[in-house]
Amino acid sequence: MREKKFILNKLNLDDPKMNDTYDEITPLLTRINKQQKTIREQLSEAKRQQEEFAIITNNMSEGLLVIDKQTEILSCNTSAVKLLGAKKAVTDQSVLTMNRSEPFRKAVEGVLKGKHMADFIELEDGVRQLIANPVLEDGKVTGAVLLLVDVTEKMQRESLRREFTANVSHELRTPLTSISGFAEIMQDGYVKPEDVKRVAGKIYDEAQRLITLVGDVMEISRLDEGITEYKKERVDLLDVVEDCKERLQEAADRKEIQVEVIGQSFVFETTKTILEEVVYNLMDNAIKYNKEQGKVTVRIFQKDGEFGFSVKDTGIGIPLIHQDRIFERFYRVDKSRSRQQGGAGLGLTLCAKIATLHNGSIRFDSTPNIGTTVLVTLKGARP
């Protein structure tokens, strides 16, 4: 018995097959060897699955957090750390250390009570949507899974959509109210015969403003949707500039503004109508918001494989606080002045979208009471 005990104590259980012992013990050692092999395979598979899970979650743009019922972090991907604005996530620490905002705290408390929670968290760099679901075992909450999604862009688009709808409604109502009012007083006979022509002219002007507004809105909608049904042709940029100058000459003469065109003929492939829209809008603004006896200079350039044109004026300029927003839809620096000039705040939006259509860019430099220079670069068009 003493000899057997000694042999049992000396058994190598790490590698059972290497033992030289009694035949009676061999089946036991064989079974232990199989169990060890099975355990190693299961551990290897678990490790592989864990690595796959880590690769998948760490490459998600969404943030994923798994917590226990004490709010301690069991698993957390890199996106969750970034989206919550935290420095890092430490397992076995409370998830509440990652974000101390009230919506986040309430969501964690609610989900650990077995409720499905959804809320928005506002951070300095944007808005996150938080969706939290409890993990149940035998009807009891054992933890929770939290999903974070960056919805900043979505919220901005929704805000712009609401603002756009409100602005379109307002801009359409203004000329329609004027047309309706003038037509009503004519219908009721309150207009003297000698004033009929003047009142009819007012109705015509408001109708034209309405047509222009609807056309601009439709144009922007088409560009937003990526619908470009325009036929391309060979167009001379200098010809387009000269044509726009001729069309705007009367408006320039009324303010005694000198319009100068500098540059040579430059022919490239584009759509004439949309190029004219950009040039006309920028030159029209340079005249509208210029000073009496001012100057507008349009310069055609070609340099380092890029080409385009600039429009420089000696006008009222754009205050610094407005400069970041002038390409927004319906945005106007001076609303009362813009309404008098007939603008709806869509011209520069169209210019920016059309420049983008050419893989180009539009930028400006403006100083109040000195003037504004707008530079349009057309990288995408082929000379």
Side-chain angles (χ1 to χ4, degrees), residues 16-225:
K17 288 183 177 181
M18 298 300 294
N19 292 287
D20 184 16
T21 184
Y22 298 115
D23 294 339
E24 292 87 343
I25 301 177
T26 302
L28 174 63
L29 296 176
T30 303
R31 188 178 182 90
I32 291 173
N33 185 63
K34 287 182 179 179
Q35 287 179 339
Q36 286 183 338
K37 183 179 180 182
T38 302
I39 291 170
R40 284 194 296 269
E41 289 175 351
Q42 289 175 343
L43 287 173
S44 177
E45 177 64 16
K47 185 178 180 181
R48 185 188 65 80
Q49 290 179 353
Q50 186 178 24
E51 289 174 350
E52 285 182 357
F53 179 76
I55 292 170
I56 292 170
T57 56
N58 284 326
N59 283 280
M60 290 171 56
S61 58
E62 297 81 10
L64 183 66
L65 284 157
V66 181
I67 61 174
D68 64 15
K69 61 182 180 180
Q70 280 79 37
T71 76
E72 291 183 356
I73 301 169
L74 301 177
S75 178
C76 175
N77 68 352
T78 54
S79 292
V81 178
K82 181 180 177 182
L83 291 174
L84 283 174
K87 292 182 179 179
K88 62 179 180 178
V90 180
T91 54
D92 300 330
Q93 283 192 0
S94 174
V95 72
L96 298 175
T97 60
M98 295 183 68
N99 186 282
R100 300 184 184 278
S101 66
E102 186 176 355
F104 187 73
R105 179 178 56 79
K106 285 185 175 180
V108 172
E109 290 175 356
V111 75
L112 292 179
K113 290 178 182 178
K115 301 176 184 177
H116 168 78
M117 303 295 292
D119 206 343
F120 293 97
I121 302 171
E122 293 189 8
L123 301 176
E124 290 183 1
D125 63 337
V127 182
R128 315 288 187 252
Q129 184 178 17
L130 171 63
I131 302 168
N133 284 301
V135 176
L136 303 175
E137 187 175 337
D138 297 329
K140 294 182 180 180
V141 177
T142 58
V145 177
L146 284 65
L147 184 69
L148 290 155
V149 183
D150 189 347
V151 293
T152 306
E153 189 175 343
K154 179 183 176 182
M155 299 288 278
Q156 288 174 343
R157 286 200 304 267
E158 182 63 22
S159 176
L160 285 173
R161 185 192 65 78
R162 289 195 299 268
E163 185 179 353
F164 181 72
T165 302
N167 283 328
V168 167
S169 301
H170 178 76
E171 293 295 337
L172 289 174
R173 189 184 300 115
T174 302
L176 284 172
T177 302
S178 297
I179 291 170
S180 178
F182 287 128
E184 185 177 1
I185 62 174
M186 289 183 70
Q187 183 183 37
D188 293 341
Y190 292 123
V191 180
K192 297 177 181 179
E194 60 269 23
D195 293 333
V196 170
K197 186 176 181 180
R198 180 180 60 82
V199 174
K202 293 281 187 182
I203 293 175
Y204 175 81
D205 290 341
E206 292 296 332
Q208 290 301 117
R209 178 182 170 189
L210 190 60
I211 291 169
T212 301
L213 175 61
V214 171
D216 287 347
V217 170
M218 291 177 66
E219 184 77 12
I220 289 175
S221 296
R222 282 195 294 267
L223 291 172
D224 281 342
E225 296 296 325

Side-chain angles (χ1 to χ4, degrees), residues 227-239:
I227 300 172
T228 53
E229 300 174 348
Y230 307 107
K231 182 180 178 182
K232 290 193 174 183
E233 56 189 307
R234 290 176 62 78
V235 179
D236 190 335
L237 179 57
L238 180 61
D239 287 346

